[in-house]
Amino acid sequence: HKLFELLPDLKPGERREAAEAYLARQADLEATQRSEIAEAVLAVLAEPEFAILFGSGSRAEASIAGWGPGLPEGLKIAGRLDRLIVTDDQVLVCDFKTNRPAPPSVDATDPAYIAQLAAYVAVLRGLWPGRPVHAALLWTDGPRLDLIPEAMIAAALEAIGGG
């Protein structure tokens, strides 16, 4: 996650060296693990489909706290978002997942991941009431970006008890 926070601000030609330097300081990782992590992160950053996650209007490790529509009254959510993208016409929250293998489809995603994103979506809808708020999971295995369908968000909020 730290590499996704640090590397997007660097020029593409500088990213590999910076990733390797950062990972070299992680004494708990073996050389093969360092290499796999660097390759996965660099592949994500090089993928044009994911450019919105790292471009203008995006923030890494954004903190949020509060209540939002769709959550039970009195339930407060606090969290740190892997990536928050706010534009004039939408808000997108993205969580990075390193599970291997990634689930075969968004429908096979662990319900806990969807519930967490649904809670974040609710809080963000309260903060930006005039904009659509979307959620996504970025699987570094692949890599693949799954937009979470609104029906899954609504079902997760219903299960939380606020729907």
Side-chain angles (χ1 to χ4, degrees), residues 29-47:
L29 297 176
E30 297 176 12
T32 55
Q33 292 172 306
R34 289 183 188 119
S35 178
E36 288 174 2
I37 292 168
E39 292 306 318
V41 171
L42 293 169
V44 167
L45 293 175
E47 179 59 50

Side-chain angles (χ1 to χ4, degrees), residues 66-67 71-77:
W67 176 88
L71 293 173
E73 282 297 324
L75 178 63
K76 305 286 189 212
I77 300 295

Side-chain angles (χ1 to χ4, degrees), residues 81-148:
L81 312 178
D82 289 342
R83 211 73 188 178
L84 175 64
I85 300 90
V86 179
T87 66
D88 290 339
D89 59 345
Q90 72 170 329
V91 176
L92 173 65
V93 57
C94 185
D95 202 15
F96 301 142
K97 297 297 179 194
T98 57
N99 303 43
R100 288 181 174 210
S105 68
V106 69
D107 295 329
T109 300
D110 184 333
Y113 294 161
I114 304 300
Q116 177 184 20
L117 283 170
Y120 292 160
V121 165
V123 174
L124 293 169
R125 285 177 177 162
L127 294 171
W128 284 280
R131 296 180 208 178
V133 178
H134 306 285
L137 288 166
L138 177 67
W139 303 97
T140 59
D141 181 35
R144 187 180 82 226
L145 183 67
D146 285 343
L147 292 174
I148 310 303

